[in-house]
Amino acid sequence: MKVSRRDLLAGAAGAVAVGATARGQAPADPSKVRGKPPRATGQRASAEKVQRIVRGATSSGTPHQDLMGIITPSDLHFERHHGGVPDIDPAAYSLLIHGMVDRPTVFTLADLKRFPSVSRIHFLECSGNLGRTAGPKTTPGQLAGLTSTSEWTGVPLATLLTEVGAQASATWLLAEGTDAAVLTRSVPMSKALDDALIAYGQNGEPIRPEQGYPARLFLPGWEGNTSVKWLRRIEVSDKPFMTREETSKYTEPFANGTSRMFSFRMDARSLITYPAYPVTLEHGWVEINGIAWSGAGKIQRVDVSTDGGKTWSAARLQEPVLSLAHTRFRHLWNWTGGEAVIMSRAVDETGYVQPTRAALLEQRGPGTTGYHLNPITGWIVQASGAVIYKEEAWG
Amino acid sequence: MGMTRPRLVCQLAALLVFVLTGAVSAQAPARFGIGRPATPQEIARLDIDVMPDGTGLPPGRGTPAEGAAIYASKCAACHGKTGREGPNDVLVGREPREGFPFAQNPRLAHTIGNYWPYATTVFDYVRRAMPPMAPGSLTDDEVYALTAFLLNANELVANDAVVDRSTLPAVKMPAREHFVPDTRDQTARKPRP
């Protein structure tokens, strides 16, 4: 069969009209092509390349610059582990509760799910969540990606402690994971009986392996390390256990020659997620936005400055403002050109104000460990519109 | 027949009571009876933690010399020939002799000798987590020996010390007195009703 040059050209044009474009699989006019059939599991649009930021062998961070609202998609929830992510057969999983209890008991996963459950939206933050050596080309996720917010579902630990008959004189418990670090932390009974959960659900589905599948301890508002994942054992006691993770690590030397231990609560913090590196702005209206959170309760106010901290104005808070959860803040700004430094400062419902780096350094000294550092941070909008991280020296 | 007003109110009230008692879930019982009793054997198998007073320490013993040989073969690759060289966590070092200047000096490594408040934590942690590629593979005697070696290298026990369940809790750690519990209020405000 003879094919003319004209036929070929016409055919090629037709292929472009309905077939794949240079960008990928998307047709130029989707209304001219029958779409895909239903699928058993959904996927992100193929053009969306959002990913966690993997930082070495033991953690990956949430890419805050790519996210909206307050819920972190489960596959983008940060991870931090000390012995890798274990592979656990849910049918073989069990949780032992023993020690100062009347009835030492083993609960299977099915047992845990039979108890009355609760769902709560909370942030979870690693206590070492500041890239102290971050240079100008640092994204929000690289700077502070070790905080995420999910809806957690599980059984209140108080329910289980009642079930096993925890003794009235008990004051602490040990939580132990079944990962290769067999990670342990001591937890005060007061927290266990207050709002601690044994969580097995995350954003409506079983907890992801990186977050502790099939069940973990969840301590709202407290440093992430205490919310022991892959929980296999709880021992009730009347003393703390002084594990390596609460002595050698997760303690903060202070300038006064002491080291603070059992620093559970995460203090209030905010992070502008837009505009931030690697964004380039155009002149005109910009909706500055970001997340703020506090381990002491609700965010009451977030102040935003567009002049490097000389003046501040209150940002709008996106409702609902939830206790111990990320809160989205937004602030309209007309960028008319010239260099500007944008910053945010969180205030929580206890009146606590997010501190400056200088205030933290005065208390903690240049030798400070990386734990519980929640300074006000900023971004420089350069005259060209390029946005870079405002570097801070930590000694 | 038309209903009188008081009678209607009465019936509505009765309906309300019915709806309320039907809709409100039953009072939670004192116990649900879920889960099965744990046997002493399964508790013993998992209960590996060691407390500062020595609770949880198993029988067995070890000396610095025995520990040095195990350390050289199973630990030195990651923690250095003498425990000071890395590449992973520095385990050995008593400097500075005076004070606790960790906040002032960013270059000061936190070691067992200068920073760890409890000697029992060495046994507990090494037994549960080290070496990372074969956690839980060391015998209790090996863990005692490694603990003895690390404490001796940090000048905390003598060269001929025997470390066991009675001697380990008595080892005095210089950093201990510097640790203070957090004094911030740890309780969060409750969500308002």
Side-chain angles (χ1 to χ4, degrees), chain A residues 110-142:
Chain A
D111 290 338
L112 294 178
K113 290 181 174 175
R114 280 180 63 199
F115 284 100
S117 58
V118 296
S119 296
R120 300 203 208 106
I121 295 173
H122 288 311
F123 79 84
L124 181 69
E125 183 181 21
C126 175
S127 86
N129 187 25
L130 180 72
R132 279 187 291 167
T133 54
K137 295 183 171 184
T138 297
T139 65
Q142 287 169 328

Side-chain angles (χ1 to χ4, degrees), chain A residues 16-217:
Chain A
V16 168
V18 296
T21 62
R23 269 196 301 118
Q25 295 306 304
D29 182 353
S31 71
K32 296 292 183 287
V33 185
R34 190 166 172 80
K36 293 192 180 79
R39 289 184 286 193
T41 51
Q43 280 167 9
R44 290 204 174 87
S46 58
E48 298 298 333
K49 303 296 184 213
V50 57
Q51 285 183 333
R52 280 197 292 236
I53 302 147
V54 179
R55 8 162 128 211
T58 58
S59 72
S60 73
T62 293
H64 292 300
Q65 62 277 11
D66 297 324
L67 302 186
M68 307 157 227
I70 60 170
I71 300 290
T72 311
S74 298
D75 65 341
L76 300 176
H77 190 293
F78 84 86
E79 58 182 317
R80 168 74 173 105
H81 28 78
H82 290 256
V85 178
D87 188 4
I88 299 174
D89 174 1
Y93 171 85
S94 65
L95 169 63
L96 166 67
I97 305 185
H98 71 112
M100 291 173 62
V101 304
D102 296 338
R103 294 172 293 277
T105 306
V106 174
F107 299 102
T108 63
L109 184 61
D111 290 338
L112 294 178
K113 290 181 174 175
R114 280 180 63 199
F115 284 100
S117 58
V118 296
S119 296
R120 300 203 208 106
I121 295 173
H122 288 311
F123 79 84
L124 181 69
E125 183 181 21
C126 175
S127 86
N129 187 25
L130 180 72
R132 279 187 291 167
T133 54
K137 295 183 171 184
T138 297
T139 65
Q142 287 169 328
L143 182 69
L146 303 184
T147 183
S148 310
T149 287
S150 295
E151 184 199 56
W152 302 97
T153 297
V155 48
L157 179 50
T159 304
L160 299 183
L161 291 172
T162 305
E163 187 75 12
V164 301
Q167 289 157 17
S169 50
T171 48
W172 289 83
L173 57 78
L174 183 77
E176 182 177 83
T178 187
D179 57 328
V182 204
L183 191 131
T184 42
R185 285 295 304 252
S186 304
V187 177
M189 266 315 247
S190 53
K191 182 70 170 179
L193 295 172
D194 180 13
D195 59 359
L197 289 184
I198 304 301
Y200 45 75
Q202 178 183 6
N203 296 331
E205 62 175 347
I207 283 189
R208 298 266 168 146
E210 298 92 317
Q211 272 75 58
Y213 181 84
R216 73 176 304 164
L217 180 61

Side-chain angles (χ1 to χ4, degrees), chain A residues 320-339:
Chain A
V321 175
L322 301 173
S323 187
L324 313 172
H326 285 169
T327 296
R328 179 71 52 179
F329 64 89
R330 311 178 201 275
H331 177 73
L332 266 181
W333 175 47
N334 192 4
W335 182 55
T336 53
E339 184 167 299

Side-chain angles (χ1 to χ4, degrees), chain B residues 46-187:
Chain B
L46 289 183
D47 186 5
I48 58 168
D49 60 85
V50 172
M51 301 183 79
D53 65 1
T55 304
L57 279 171
R61 59 182 286 290
T63 64
E66 290 160 357
I70 307 166
Y71 180 86
S73 69
K74 295 190 174 174
C75 323
C78 297
H79 293 291
K81 202 163 170 284
T82 69
R84 299 168 186 266
E85 302 85 354
N88 293 121
D89 301 35
V90 175
L91 306 178
V92 175
R94 275 296 291 282
E95 300 73 32
R97 299 268 153 184
E98 298 299 320
F100 197 72
F102 292 95
Q104 284 75 27
N105 186 354
R107 277 161 294 279
L108 199 55
H110 296 197
T111 71
I112 292 170
N114 69 16
Y115 197 76
W116 285 42
Y118 298 95
T120 45
T121 310
V122 181
F123 185 99
D124 177 276
Y125 181 71
V126 171
R127 180 163 70 161
R128 70 176 60 242
M130 289 292 132
M133 295 310 166
S137 62
L138 301 169
T139 67
D140 290 340
D141 280 343
E142 285 178 311
V143 180
Y144 274 122
L146 285 163
T147 304
F149 167 75
L150 291 171
L151 293 175
N152 176 249
N154 279 293
E155 303 165 56
L156 296 164
V157 301
N159 293 344
D160 60 356
V162 173
V163 170
D164 62 21
R165 70 200 315 180
S166 70
T167 58
L168 182 57
V171 175
K172 197 175 168 330
M173 302 295 272
R176 165 94 153 264
E177 62 191 75
H178 297 284
F179 281 83
V180 294
D182 191 359
T183 52
R184 295 173 303 159
D185 177 13
Q186 302 286 351
T187 50

